[in-house]
Amino acid sequence: MAIPPLETIYETLLAVPGMHDPVKIDLKIPRKTVLLLTEVITRGMEQKSESGKVVIQISKQSEEELNTIISESLEKAGLTELSQRLKKLQTV
């Protein structure tokens, strides 16, 4: 029996009833972790497999929610400006 591709597993898990229910998460983490976490989320959303396909297909709504989480986390940690400056350095 062949193991289904990772994309299929994630699509199935994201379709399970109750996955759209909001959950409150209260995190107290260092600023460096906030900066790293937001970068990992951003890179994960941009990641492609070797074949050029997106590794995990996410809906537009989920992408917007993740971008909101990134923005709010950076804002609460006072790292918005630093993050923007780091992104400018990456494009140079």
Side-chain angles (χ1 to χ4, degrees):
M1 181 175 172
I3 298 173
L6 189 57
E7 300 93 8
T8 305
I9 294 170
Y10 272 103
E11 286 174 13
T12 303
L13 290 172
L14 293 174
V16 171
M19 290 298 278
H20 294 287
D21 296 348
V23 178
K24 182 176 180 169
I25 300 175
D26 183 17
L27 296 174
K28 295 195 185 293
I29 56 177
R31 283 188 170 93
K32 68 178 188 175
T33 305
V34 172
L35 192 61
L36 289 171
L37 179 62
T38 58
E39 185 64 19
V40 167
I41 293 170
T42 301
R43 288 185 185 195
M45 289 191 306
E46 296 169 350
Q47 188 175 15
K48 305 222 187 279
S49 67
E50 287 119 23
S51 66
K53 274 181 52 178
V54 176
V55 176
I56 300 172
Q57 193 78 336
I58 60 173
S59 69
K60 194 70 173 163
Q61 179 184 3
S62 293
E63 185 178 349
E64 289 171 4
E65 289 170 353
L66 287 170
N67 284 325
T68 300
I69 290 169
I70 290 168
S71 297
E72 288 178 359
S73 297
L74 289 170
E75 185 178 324
K76 287 180 181 180
L79 298 170
T80 303
E81 187 175 339
L82 176 62
S83 176
Q84 291 170 347
R85 289 180 183 207
L86 288 171
K87 285 187 189 325
K88 285 181 185 177
L89 287 174
Q90 289 174 345
T91 59
V92 173

